[in-house]
Each structure stands twice: as C-alpha cells, then as structure tokens.
C-alpha cells in the first residue's frame, strides 16, 4: 500500500549519497525556470552530472510542491511502451484499472502543485515527449524537470545545458575531486602544496564529475603526483589514436578505459558480463549469469567487492540482501567490451534463463511462508524481469515468453502490476499464433486472471473457463470456481449468485495456481455469504480460509480471511471484535504491496470505527480510504459521488461531526503519508509523515 500523490507531501526522492559540491549558479537558474516554465530539461553529455544536479534541485524545490516531488528513473527502461507504467509505479499508482493507463496517471497526479523528475530520457526520447506533452496538457499544476542528452522537443520546453565544473584551483572541480579523494583515502587533505596537482588532474579530466570521481578512487593505490603522471601518459596515447569524438565524450571514455585497464583480467570479464543487468542485481544472480570459462561462480563475490572498491559498481544494503548497481556510462563501456568478446548473446540468454527460473520458483513458493520475501524480491527485480520478457519475446520459440509471462501471474495479479502484466501476456499470446500446449494454456489463464475486474461478468466466466483448461492440461482435478457468482454479487444479484455458486471440491497443492484457486474458492464463498448478510456462515468460511492459509504461512489470501472475519463481526453488531482481524489484514496487504486490498481494508476500518462511535477517527480514515483507492488506480471507487459506501458514511459522519469538522478530518486523513496512514489505521495517531 502507498498513499496517493496528494497524500504524500514529500514524494519519493532518495537521500543524496554524499555531499553535493558546487553548481550554485545552475541551481539558482533551475529554481527560476521551474517558477516560469512547466518543462525544464537539463542537457549535456554522459557523466557531466545532470542526474545529480536534478536530484539536488528537486530536493531544494520540495517546499514549493505540496503534491510532492517524484523521481522517475528511466535508465533501466528498455521498452518505450512501458514508460507510462514506469511513471505510474514511481508515483505509487497501482495498475489495477482497465482504463487507458495514461489517463489514469493524469487523474492520479491531479491536485496540488507537483514536480515530476524524469531522469535519463535520451534512449526513450520520442515516448518521453509524447507522455510529457499529454501530462502537461491534462494536469495543470504539474511541472516536469527532465535530464537528457538532447532536448525532448515539447512545446514550451526550457533548456539548461549542464557544463563540466569550473577548473580553477579554488573552483568546484577541485573541491569535488578533493571531497571524493578524502572519502576514498581518509588521510588525504587538500593543501596549498598539492592544490596545483589536484587542479591539473581536474584540467586533464575536463572537469567532468564522473571522471573526477573515478580518478579520486585511484588515490587508494597511487600518490597524487603519480596519478597525474598516469593520466597524462594514458590520455596522450588515447587521444592521439582514438577516432574523432567530442572532446568531453573522449575524456570520459578515456577515464573509464583507464579504470578498466587497472582492473585484473577477471575483474574486466565480470564488469563486461554484469552489463547485461538493469536495475541492479544480487550476488546469486551475478554468480549464475556471469560465471563461465575462467570466471567461476566462487570467484564472483570477491571480484564484486574489488569492483566496488574501485567504484565500478556500488552496493546498497548489507549481507545477502545487498544489491549492486552500475552507472549507465560505466555499464555502456562494459557492454561494448562484452560485445567485443563475442559473449553478448550467451550472457543475455543466461540472464533470461535465470529470471525464468526465478519466476517459476516464486510461483511454486508464493502460497507459503516466503510470500512476503517473493513480493519484495520480484519488485526489486522488476527491471530485470522486464528485460527477460523482452529477450523471450525476441526468441524464435514463443513458448519461452508464454512460460515466463504466465508463470508471473501471482506478481501481476497480487503485487499491483496488472496493467503491465496484461500487456506482456497479450504480446506473448500474439506471437503464439497457434494455440495449444501447457505454456499457451497457462498464459491464457494468467491473462484472463489479470484482466478480471469485480463487475465484469464475462471476464469472471472466462477466468473460470481458462482455469478448467489449465487444470485439464496439467491433469489436475478441477475445483468449482464461483467467480461468476462473485461477479453477480458485486452487481447486486445476490440471490442469483447463490444459485450459481457450486460446492467446493479440493484441488491438490501446487502447480499452476491450483492451490491458489482452492483458497480463492473459500474467499469468494465468504464474499457471497457476506453479500447475503449470512454473517455467521461468512465468519465460519472465513475462519476455514484463515486456517488453510496459516498452515502454509501464506499472507495475501490469509488477509482476505481476516477481512471477512472482520466484516462479519461488523455485520453481527460486534465492531470491537472487528478491529483486530482488520488490522491484521491491513498489515499483511502492506507487506505484500497489495494496494487494492489495503484500500478495501481501509473501508472496513471506517465502518468499524463509525460503529464504535469513533466518528472523528472514522472520518480521518475515510480520507485515507479515498486516497488509497486513487493509489490503486480505481479513483471511481474512491469518489463519494460514485460510491455507495462512501456516500453513506459521508452522510452519517457529516451529520455527526458537522460539515466543517467532517471536511477537515477527511482532509487530514487524505494528506497523511503512507507510514502515517498505516499507523493511524493500526491504532496510532497518524502524526508521523512516513
């Protein structure tokens, strides 16, 4: 779960990794431009510091943007068609809507002034221009700060060319070099004696920040004067022999190339192979994808540590949970080296096959104690999964794409990526022009599952039909699936839904979602009984669901069991008993990133607190609930003018509190950040901003 854009006044900007040096004039100019222009693009060559400057400017601009300052990192994106999905995910919009996603994003971003930072646009430039133009047209209070090696070309765009740092002995280039040198070698200090050599290093590197940072790390093994000598001889050799290139581009490549030459042969080989990853990697992934030939899997961990010491890769986190990353410019150098070795296709296939294996492992273990871990792991690997899907779609055998996209049904369905999943599955199914085979059947079922919406009777029937095919393909008993009945119940046809609901037959554990559907059958039975006000029977079925989930250590479906136990308690006039299971449900939905489920639980807590006479708290939770529905991509469920639930509670709470206090309480709840909203719902005061 996450708060809506309007509900999180800080956005998602990461903390800055180290001290920001210089750029006072550029920061002042960006501030002026953002006050007068709706699109500001920072341009310049790779390594010149555009991304870092944009992040610093966004942090400085936060007070002016009540709707938040939001960073959308595009360097990991390889398919331009997923740019809108990337914006949605960065701004915490869950893709649970069948509406055109760009329209949903526009509605999601509407509200108080908001800053969107689009970082590294050049490789998806045309799509960036299209999306930005639409966003600016539809969201009046939006400002966009972009970084790109070239302009987006959108009407009204204001450009600021980012130059290298000034090179005087007391200017920013020397200050940056000295700061990074001191970080690499704590004993280093800039003095009047060594300042000329430091300035000469900066001049040799043209004041390019990335080149300066790479050079500073070399002081771990070289004194400053030897570093300067090495740079001089190395640059003279390369500059005289290199093909014509822009001077600054050549300088940066030479600096990276020098770092490359100072690596051992195995370090260089690992650097090249790591370039196939996007969005980072962990040790296990690196061992699987990068081993081979002279590089054994056992060597990888030590070599990663060595590359980290040389600032070729960076590490986030500790222990087995740690993840490694590589700057785009450094990755590009490694990718060129990999292509030169003739290994590109082989390493990309290993990358693809590793993430196919990850998807299958996640499916097998989803309904178990590792569910939270899998939700977090696959979310962290989202960019690599996207790349694996693209690699599968590029192979001559359509079965690989069908298998991968179908195996990820749980990720698409339960973790908030339904819209992207639909698109991936549709592309895979289009490539497989002839149906048949287990992979095709799995993909058809997964596509229909992620296309399911509560009020679509035909979609519910098609999911049931597709699952029957899947069960028969895998020689599994076919459980009765009451999806048709559930759809009718949502539409208010509870009596008819009871007739259509069949008895539950047990399906064996594992394989293709059979166990998942066994649990879903119980959840939907509880849902139908609640719709018929049969609350005692609803509580009994929900209790069985909770027990079945507890046996497996499962969270996502267990939360629906808690939800219906709580709902039944409210229906039976026991709201005090409803709080604990509702809060347990919300905690679980938060852990597995199910924002749609979290929104539904928030509605339940509104009802429970209102029934307990906690009207002011209920009104604040109503504001939280509306915000969560918007975040889930279903704003129509969160608007009081279209939702029976919200209309009813607005009427009751407004009558109790009065118009002014009701509106204030709803606003307070809606403006809470995600952690504070969860804290309020779980029994805190919601004072923190989270």
């Amino acid at each position: 779960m996450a708060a809506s854009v309007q509900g999180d006044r800080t956005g998602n900007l990461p903390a800055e990794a180290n001290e920001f040096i210089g750029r006072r004039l550029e920061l002042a100019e960006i501030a002026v431009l953002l006050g007068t222009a709706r699109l500001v693009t920072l341009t310049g060559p790779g390594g010149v510091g555009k991304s870092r400057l944009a992040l610093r400017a966004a942090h400085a601009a936060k007070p002016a943007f009540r709707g938040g300052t939001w960073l959308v990192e595009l360097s990991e994106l390889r398919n331009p068609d997923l740019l809108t999905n990337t914006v949605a995910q960065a701004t915490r919009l869950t893709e649970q809507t069948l509406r055109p996603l760009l329209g949903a994003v526009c509605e999601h971003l509407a509200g108080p002034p908001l800053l969107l930072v689009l970082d590294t646009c050049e490789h998806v430039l045309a799509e960036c221009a299209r999306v930005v133009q639409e966003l600016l047209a539809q969201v009046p209070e939006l400002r966009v700060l972009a970084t790109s090696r070239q302009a987006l070309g959108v009407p009204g765009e204001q450009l600021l060319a980012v130059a290298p740092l000034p090179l005087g002995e007391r200017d920013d280039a020397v200050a940056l070099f000295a700061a990074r040198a001191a970080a690499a070698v704590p004993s280093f200090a800039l003095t009047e004696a060594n300042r000329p050599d430091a300035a000469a290093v900066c001049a040799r590197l043209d004041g390019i920040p990335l080149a300066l940072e790479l050079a500073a790390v070399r002081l771990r093994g070289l004194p400053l004067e030897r570093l300067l000598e090495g740079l001089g001889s190395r640059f003279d050799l390369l500059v005289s022999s290199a093909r014509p290139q822009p001077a600054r581009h050549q300088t940066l490549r030479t600096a990276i190339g020098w770092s490359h030459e100072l690596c051992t042969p195995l370090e260089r080989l690992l650097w090249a192979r790591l370039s196939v990853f996007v969005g980072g990697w962990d040790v296990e992934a690196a061992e699987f994808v990068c081993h081979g030939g002279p590089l054994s899997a056992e060597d990888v961990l030590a070599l990663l540590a060595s590359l980290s010491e040389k600032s070729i890769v960076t590490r986030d986190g500790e222990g087995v949970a740690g993840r490694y990353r590589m700057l785009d410019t450094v990755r590009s150098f490694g990718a060129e080296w990999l292509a030169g070795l003739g290994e590109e296709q082989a390493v990309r296939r290993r990358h693809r096959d590793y993430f196919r294996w990850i998807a299958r492992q996640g499916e097998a273990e989803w309904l178990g104690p590792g569910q939270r871990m899998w939700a977090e792991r696959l979310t962290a690997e989202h960019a690599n999964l996207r790349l694996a899907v693209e690699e599968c779609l590029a192979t001559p055998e359509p079965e690989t794409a069908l298998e991968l996209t179908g195996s990820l049904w749980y990720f698409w369905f339960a973790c908030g990526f339904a819209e992207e999943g639909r698109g991936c599955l549709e592309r895979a199914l289009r490539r497989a022009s002839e149906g048949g085979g287990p992979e095709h059947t799995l993909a058809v079922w997964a596509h229909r599952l992620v296309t399911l919406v509560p009020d679509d009777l035909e979609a519910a029937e098609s999911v049931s039909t597709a699952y029957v095919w899947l069960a028969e393909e895998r020689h599994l008993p076919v459980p009765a699936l009451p999806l048709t009945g559930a759809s009718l119940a949502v539409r208010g046809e509870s009596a008819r839904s009871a007739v259509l609901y069949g008895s539950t037959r047990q399906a064996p554990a594992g394989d293709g979602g059979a166990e998942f559907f066994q649990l879903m059958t119980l959840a939907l039975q509880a849902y139908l009984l609640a719709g018929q006000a049969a609350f005692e029977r609803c509580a009994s079925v929900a209790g069985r669901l909770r027990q079945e989930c507890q046996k497996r250590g499962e969270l996502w479906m267990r939360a629906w069991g808690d939800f219906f136990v709580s709902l039944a308690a409210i229906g039976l006039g026991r709201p005090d008993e409803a709080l604990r299971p509702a809060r347990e449900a919300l905690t679980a939905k938060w852990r597995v990133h199910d924002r749609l489920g979290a929104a539904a639980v928030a509605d339940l807590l509104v009802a429970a607190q209102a029934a307990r006479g906690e009207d002011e708290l209920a009104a604040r939770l109503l504001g939280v609930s509306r915000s969560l529905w918007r975040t889930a991509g279903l704003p129509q469920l969160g608007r009081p003018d279209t939702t029976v639930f919200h209309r009813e509670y607005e009427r009751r709470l407004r009558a109790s509190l009065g118009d002014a206090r009701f509106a204030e309480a709803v606003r307070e709840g809606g403006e809470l950040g995600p952690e504070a909203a969860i804290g309020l719902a779980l029994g805190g005061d919601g004072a923190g901003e989270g």
Side-chain angles (χ1 to χ4, degrees):
M1 185 204 73
S4 69
V5 166
Q6 295 92 328
D8 186 336
R9 289 172 288 182
T10 60
N12 68 341
L13 296 183
E16 296 181 270
N18 47 29
E19 181 187 5
F20 184 84
I21 304 292
R23 302 288 195 190
R24 291 181 297 278
L25 294 178
E26 290 94 333
L27 287 170
E29 188 168 358
I30 293 170
V32 171
L33 288 172
L34 285 176
T36 58
R38 300 191 61 207
L39 169 61
V40 178
T41 302
L42 308 184
T43 62
V48 81
K50 301 183 298 295
S51 297
R52 187 64 194 273
L53 176 59
L55 180 61
R56 176 89 292 271
H59 274 291
K62 285 167 70 171
F65 293 98
R66 290 190 297 112
T69 45
W70 301 85
L71 175 64
V72 185
E73 296 183 279
L74 301 178
S75 60
E76 303 170 358
L77 188 63
R78 295 296 178 265
N79 180 359
D81 294 339
L82 294 177
L83 189 143
T84 304
N85 301 73
T86 304
V87 174
Q89 292 153 19
T91 56
R92 299 173 183 163
L93 171 65
T94 304
E95 303 167 23
Q96 299 285 3
T97 174
L98 291 179
R99 298 181 299 154
L101 185 59
L102 186 52
V105 170
C106 289
E107 187 168 340
H108 179 59
L109 299 182
L114 176 145
L115 177 64
L116 200 63
V117 182
L118 299 180
D119 187 28
T120 317
C121 299
E122 59 270 2
H123 62 300
V124 285
L125 197 67
E127 185 65 5
C128 274
R130 185 188 73 83
V131 169
V132 166
Q133 192 161 354
E134 182 68 16
L135 288 174
L136 293 175
Q138 300 298 325
V139 187
E141 295 299 320
L142 175 67
R143 295 287 188 275
V144 176
L145 177 61
T147 73
S148 177
R149 296 187 187 184
Q150 63 187 101
L152 272 63
V154 172
E157 179 181 26
Q158 293 292 309
L159 302 178
L160 177 62
V162 180
L165 295 171
L167 290 171
E169 284 192 11
R170 301 189 182 278
D171 279 330
D172 292 343
V174 173
L176 176 66
F177 177 77
R180 302 302 185 253
V185 183
S187 61
F188 177 86
L190 189 64
T191 66
E192 292 305 315
N194 65 17
R195 189 182 291 275
D197 282 350
V201 167
C202 295
R204 172 58 77 175
L205 295 173
D206 290 338
I208 298 173
L210 177 55
L212 297 177
E213 298 198 7
L214 290 172
V217 175
R218 300 308 312 158
L219 291 176
R220 288 174 177 158
L222 292 171
L224 180 58
E225 59 273 15
R226 291 287 304 281
L227 172 65
L228 178 59
E229 291 172 7
L231 281 173
S233 59
R234 180 66 188 149
F235 274 54
D236 289 342
L237 175 65
L238 283 189
V239 169
S240 64
S241 62
R243 64 183 182 273
Q245 293 176 331
R248 288 167 185 164
H249 178 72
Q250 187 169 290
T251 297
L252 180 59
R253 286 187 55 79
T254 304
I256 295 174
W258 191 49
S259 293
H260 187 264
E261 289 195 353
L262 292 172
C263 291
T264 67
L266 286 182
E267 289 170 352
R268 295 178 203 168
L269 182 58
L270 180 59
W271 178 349
R273 292 176 177 176
L274 289 171
S275 68
V276 301
F277 288 100
V278 289
W281 64 88
D282 59 21
V283 173
E284 179 188 84
E287 289 174 341
F288 183 95
V289 174
C290 299
H291 82 278
L295 180 56
S296 71
E298 291 75 19
D299 293 330
V300 168
L301 181 58
L303 291 169
L304 276 173
S306 182
L307 289 175
S308 181
E309 289 177 0
K310 293 178 170 69
S311 293
I312 304 303
V313 302
T314 58
R315 177 172 177 164
D316 303 318
E318 299 296 331
V320 294
R323 288 182 65 79
Y324 295 83
R325 295 180 180 273
M326 191 181 287
L327 289 174
D328 288 340
T329 312
V330 175
R331 181 192 293 119
S332 296
F333 191 97
E336 290 180 16
W337 191 263
L338 185 66
L341 294 172
E343 292 191 356
E344 183 177 14
Q345 291 305 314
V347 179
R348 284 188 175 278
R349 280 195 297 273
R350 286 206 297 273
H351 178 278
R352 176 201 69 190
D353 291 341
Y354 175 76
F355 286 100
R356 287 171 63 196
W357 175 76
I358 286 292
R360 291 195 299 270
Q361 285 292 107
E363 182 189 18
E365 299 178 19
W366 177 251
L367 292 177
Q371 188 174 83
R372 180 183 180 184
M373 179 276 291
W374 278 110
E376 293 175 349
R377 184 174 186 181
L378 266 68
T379 300
E381 298 290 8
H382 191 181
N384 283 308
L385 288 168
R386 281 177 168 175
L387 182 60
V389 168
E390 295 300 321
E391 286 292 316
C392 287
L393 288 167
T395 62
E397 304 84 18
E399 293 80 11
T400 59
L402 292 170
E403 177 211 37
L404 176 56
T405 55
S407 296
L408 286 169
W409 61 265
Y410 59 98
F411 180 60
W412 310 131
F413 182 70
C415 296
F417 300 102
E419 201 276 343
E420 181 174 334
R422 281 191 292 273
C424 292
L425 286 157
E426 285 167 4
R427 292 174 66 200
L429 289 166
R430 281 198 300 270
R431 286 198 68 232
S433 55
E434 296 182 6
E439 295 87 0
H440 187 273
T441 305
L442 175 63
V444 169
W445 166 66
H447 178 259
R448 294 186 181 181
L449 180 66
V450 300
T451 305
L452 180 65
V453 292
D455 60 353
D456 189 337
L457 178 59
E458 291 182 3
E461 290 172 338
S462 72
V463 172
S464 297
T465 301
Y467 188 72
V468 170
W469 299 341
L470 181 63
E472 290 175 347
E473 186 83 50
R474 297 189 172 188
H475 308 292
L476 302 172
V478 181
L481 302 178
L483 291 172
T484 298
S487 178
L488 288 169
V490 171
R491 297 164 66 175
E493 301 179 46
S494 297
R496 186 179 167 206
S497 73
V499 173
L500 288 176
Y501 177 79
S503 62
T504 303
R505 287 182 287 168
Q506 297 298 307
D511 202 353
E515 195 172 10
F516 170 77
F517 269 93
Q518 176 189 339
L519 300 176
M520 179 176 268
T521 299
L522 290 171
L524 291 173
Q525 185 178 4
Y527 176 82
L528 296 172
L529 291 168
Q532 296 160 29
F535 294 117
E536 293 283 4
R537 292 171 61 200
C538 172
S540 175
V541 171
R544 285 171 53 203
L545 174 60
R546 294 170 74 189
Q547 291 171 2
E548 291 297 319
C549 293
Q550 195 160 359
K551 290 177 187 177
R552 299 163 173 83
E554 196 275 346
L555 286 174
W556 189 85
M557 195 66 80
R558 157 74 189 263
W560 288 119
D562 289 324
F563 176 93
F564 288 114
V565 167
S566 178
L567 178 61
I570 294 171
L572 292 168
R574 299 196 287 264
D576 288 344
E577 296 177 16
L579 291 181
R580 180 174 178 179
R583 287 168 174 166
E584 289 178 354
L586 184 58
T587 299
K589 292 300 185 185
W590 168 269
R591 286 177 176 172
V592 297
H593 312 293
D594 179 5
R595 299 171 192 173
L596 186 64
V601 178
D603 279 352
L604 199 62
L605 285 165
V606 173
Q609 296 292 10
R612 296 177 68 241
E614 298 284 351
D615 291 346
E616 187 158 326
L617 176 57
R620 295 180 77 195
L621 289 172
L622 185 60
V624 170
S625 166
R626 290 178 181 176
S627 174
L628 295 181
W629 280 116
R630 285 191 295 270
T631 306
L634 295 167
Q636 68 274 19
L637 296 180
R639 286 204 302 256
D641 59 329
T642 59
T643 307
V644 172
F645 175 89
H646 285 177
R647 280 206 306 271
E648 173 63 18
Y649 277 94
E650 176 174 350
R651 182 187 63 78
R652 291 174 54 184
L653 294 171
R654 192 181 291 276
S656 170
L657 297 172
D659 289 347
R661 184 57 201 139
F662 169 79
E664 178 67 12
V666 171
R667 183 193 63 77
E668 290 171 357
E671 289 187 351
L672 290 175
E675 296 291 344
I678 288 295
L680 178 66
L682 296 182
D685 61 8
E689 266 307 310

